Amino acid sequence: MEAVLAKYENQINVFSEFLEDLPDTDEPVWVLGECYNAKTEKIELLSDVHSRLWFTYRKKFSPIGGTGPSSDAGWGCMLRCGQMILAQALVCSQLGRAWRWRADGGQPEDYHRILHCFLDRKDSCYSIHQMAQMGVGEGKSVGEWYGPNTVAQVLKKLALFDDWNSLAVYVSMDNTVVIEDIKKQCRQASSESRFRPRPCGWQEPFTSRETPEQACSHTDGNRATTCPHSQFHSDWRPLLLVIPLRMGINHINPVYIQALKECFKMPQSCGVLGGKPNLAYYFIGFVGEELIYLDPHTTQSAVEAEAEAGSGVDDQSYHCLRSPRRMKITNLDPSVALGFFCKSEDDFDSWCNLVQQEIQMKRNLRMFELVENHPPHWPPFVPPTKPEVQTTGAEFIESTDKLFESEEEFEILNV
C-alpha cells in the first residue's frame, strides 16, 4: 500500500503543475543540449524531463555493509545526483539522447538493464551500497555527506567494474582538461575487445577470421541489420567527462554564468552536479536566469526487483512526474562538477571545438582550461585499469587508496 501511495503522490497533477510552473516566456528552454519553446513545445519538453532517470533518497533497503544504515535520507543526496549524471551517460550510450520513456511500459531490455545497475542492492554496480562503501577509499565514512568532486572520483572507480557499458570516466584535475590523456584512456584496449557484446551474445568469442563488424551483423527476416552495440568494437570507449570546479569563494562569480549556460547548450551536455551547502541537485538545463534541476530530496521505499539484469522493474518512482524545480543561477553554490558524454572520438573532437569557440575565446575568465598535451610538470598519466580480481568493487574499500589516485582538492577559480 505504501508503494502505491508513493507512486500516486509522484503523479498528482502531473500536467497542470508542470505547465503552470514553466515561465510564460519567449526565451528558449535548454535541457541537456536540446532547445525548446516554452509556449509551443511544452509537451515535448515535459517528455524529455520525464525521461531522465530520477534517483532519490530511499528507505528499507538492506543495510549498507551488513550493519550500516538502511536509508540514505539526510546524507545521500549528492550520491543520488551522481547516479543521475551517470545514468544519463548510460542512457545516451545504450539508447541514444532521443530515447523517451513511456509510462505505459514497453521499454527496451537495455533500459531495464541500466536501471538494474542502480537498484538499492549490494550487488548492483552503481547502487548506494557500492558508492557509499567505495567512498571510504576517498576518506568518507558511510553516512557522511559528499561533495561533487568526491562523487566523481567514486564513479570513476566503480566504472572500472562495469564490463557491459565499458564506460571511460575521466575526472579533470586543477581545472584542466587534457585532450592527450582523454584520448589515451578512451583508446585503451580492453580485455573484452575480442568478445561479442549483447545482444549478439555477451562474451561469446569471435571466430579468428571474423571481424567485429561482421560478427555484429545478423539477419532479421530478409533484412540485414547491424547490432546497435557495435560501438564497443571501435577504438573509442564511450566517455563520461567530469570537470569539478569552484566558480568563486562563497558565491558563484557572475562572470562564469554565461559560460555555464553554454555548457547546457552543448549536445554532449550530461548535466551538472551542484546545489546549495549540504543540498545537492542534478541540474539539467536553464531558462532565462534560472537553472532547471531534479531534486533527490524525496524519500521513497526501495524497489524490489528480480535478480536478472534485463528483467522488468517497477520504474514509475524512477521518473519525476512532478514539476521540475528551478532556482536562480546566482543562488548556486560555487562548488560544482560539469558532466559531458562523448560517444565517439568525433563527438569528443566536436566538444573540444565548442569549448574553444563558445567558452575559451569569448569569456574573460575561463571556467576551465582545455590543453592538447599533458603538462610536463604533472606526474605521468596512467589510465585506470580494473584490478585482476573478480569483485564488484566494494570489497576494495580498504585498499582503493593504493589502487587509484584521488584528487580531493581543486583550486579556486580567479574572482
Side-chain angles (χ1 to χ4, degrees):
M1 175 61 70
E2 186 176 354
V4 173
L5 292 176
K7 182 188 299 185
Y8 177 73
E9 179 185 5
N10 188 32
Q11 300 182 58
I12 293 177
N13 298 326
V14 170
F15 289 95
S16 60
E17 182 183 357
F18 181 87
L19 299 181
E20 291 175 2
D21 186 67
L22 282 174
D24 186 17
T25 177
D26 292 323
E27 294 191 77
V29 181
W30 287 92
V31 176
L32 300 175
E34 298 287 337
C35 184
Y36 297 95
N37 184 307
K39 294 182 176 180
T40 64
E41 298 178 301
K42 289 181 178 179
I43 300 301
E44 293 82 358
L45 172 57
L46 178 63
S47 177
D48 196 350
V49 174
H50 283 182
S51 297
R52 301 313 109 214
L53 282 170
W54 178 50
F55 298 112
T56 70
Y57 289 151
R58 295 278 174 171
K59 60 183 178 180
K60 299 181 181 179
F61 50 69
S62 60
I64 296 176
T67 58
S70 57
S71 172
D72 62 314
W75 59 271
C77 55
M78 186 60 81
L79 294 178
R80 296 301 186 179
C81 291
Q83 288 180 324
M84 284 189 268
I85 200 171
L86 180 62
Q88 177 61 20
L90 299 187
V91 166
C92 288
S93 177
Q94 300 289 354
L95 305 175
R97 177 64 181 89
W99 171 83
R100 294 293 180 266
W101 176 76
R102 297 187 326 214
D104 58 357
Q107 307 302 332
E109 179 184 346
D110 285 341
Y111 162 81
H112 290 288
R113 185 162 186 177
I114 291 172
L115 196 51
H116 267 267
C117 292
F118 298 92
L119 295 181
D120 300 304
R121 308 187 317 194
K122 63 180 181 180
D123 58 345
S124 293
C125 187
Y126 303 112
S127 67
I128 192 71
H129 300 70
Q130 297 284 12
M131 295 186 72
Q133 291 190 282
M134 189 64 83
V136 175
E138 294 295 322
K140 296 290 185 180
S141 301
V142 175
E144 188 175 353
W145 197 85
Y146 286 52
N149 187 57
T150 305
V151 168
Q153 299 298 334
V154 168
L155 294 179
K156 180 178 72 172
K157 296 176 180 180
L158 287 179
L160 298 172
F161 301 91
D162 181 5
D163 292 331
W164 174 50
N165 290 290
S166 190
L167 189 70
V169 179
Y170 177 92
V171 183
S172 67
M173 292 177 52
D174 297 334
N175 307 322
T176 303
V177 176
V178 183
I179 297 175
E180 177 187 17
D181 294 348
I182 289 178
K183 293 198 171 185
K184 183 178 180 180
Q185 180 173 346
C186 289
R187 291 169 178 168
Q188 183 182 14
S190 65
S191 59
E192 290 81 18
S193 60
R194 290 296 300 172
F195 288 82
R196 296 180 188 265
R198 298 179 61 255
C200 300
W202 180 244
Q203 291 199 350
E204 177 184 341
F206 299 126
T207 63
S208 58
R209 298 180 181 178
E210 188 178 40
T211 67
E213 291 75 14
Q214 292 171 334
C216 279
S217 295
H218 57 279
T219 302
D220 182 7
N222 295 323
R223 179 172 58 90
T225 59
T226 301
C227 172
H229 298 264
S230 59
Q231 72 266 21
F232 286 105
H233 300 304
S234 69
D235 294 331
W236 180 271
R237 295 166 58 202
L239 168 69
L240 173 59
L241 168 59
V242 184
I243 309 175
L245 299 174
R246 191 168 184 89
M247 301 184 294
I249 301 178
N250 297 318
H251 305 280
I252 183 173
N253 190 325
V255 299
Y256 298 117
I257 290 179
Q258 188 57 40
L260 180 61
K261 291 181 178 180
E262 294 296 333
C263 291
F264 286 112
K265 295 180 181 180
M266 296 178 181
Q268 299 83 2
S269 174
C270 210
V272 174
L273 302 179
K276 301 176 182 179
N278 295 327
L279 286 175
Y281 304 132
Y282 173 47
F283 296 96
I284 59 174
F286 75 94
V287 53
E289 299 304 313
E290 295 180 318
L291 295 173
I292 300 171
Y293 66 92
L294 296 180
D295 188 354
H297 300 91
T298 296
T299 304
Q300 305 182 87
S301 294
V303 173
E304 297 293 333
E306 298 294 331
E308 186 177 350
S311 60
V313 176
D314 184 2
D315 62 346
Q316 295 285 330
S317 65
Y318 289 102
H319 294 273
C320 186
L321 304 184
R322 295 172 290 182
S323 170
R325 308 250 174 123
R326 293 180 286 123
M327 64 174 278
K328 292 186 179 297
I329 298 180
T330 52
N331 292 336
L332 179 67
D333 187 88
S335 179
V336 301
L338 313 179
F340 302 95
F341 174 75
C342 301
K343 189 170 185 177
S344 65
E345 186 168 2
D346 287 343
D347 204 13
F348 175 64
D349 291 338
S350 174
W351 177 82
C352 292
N353 291 332
L354 284 172
V355 169
Q356 292 168 348
Q357 296 171 10
E358 303 299 332
I359 296 180
Q360 297 202 325
M361 294 178 62
K362 295 184 179 180
R363 315 298 166 203
N364 293 329
L365 292 178
R366 300 176 178 181
M367 296 177 69
F368 56 88
E369 295 292 333
L370 179 64
V371 299
E372 185 70 36
N373 299 315
H374 186 86
H377 60 282
W378 282 15
F381 176 74
V382 179
T385 57
K386 177 182 176 181
E388 293 298 326
V389 178
Q390 294 300 318
T391 175
T392 58
E395 291 87 343
F396 283 89
I397 60 173
E398 295 182 354
S399 58
T400 47
D401 56 331
K402 299 178 183 179
L403 290 168
F404 307 98
E405 293 182 359
S406 172
E407 300 83 34
E408 178 60 29
E409 301 297 331
F410 42 86
E411 60 184 43
I412 297 175
L413 296 176
N414 294 329
V415 294

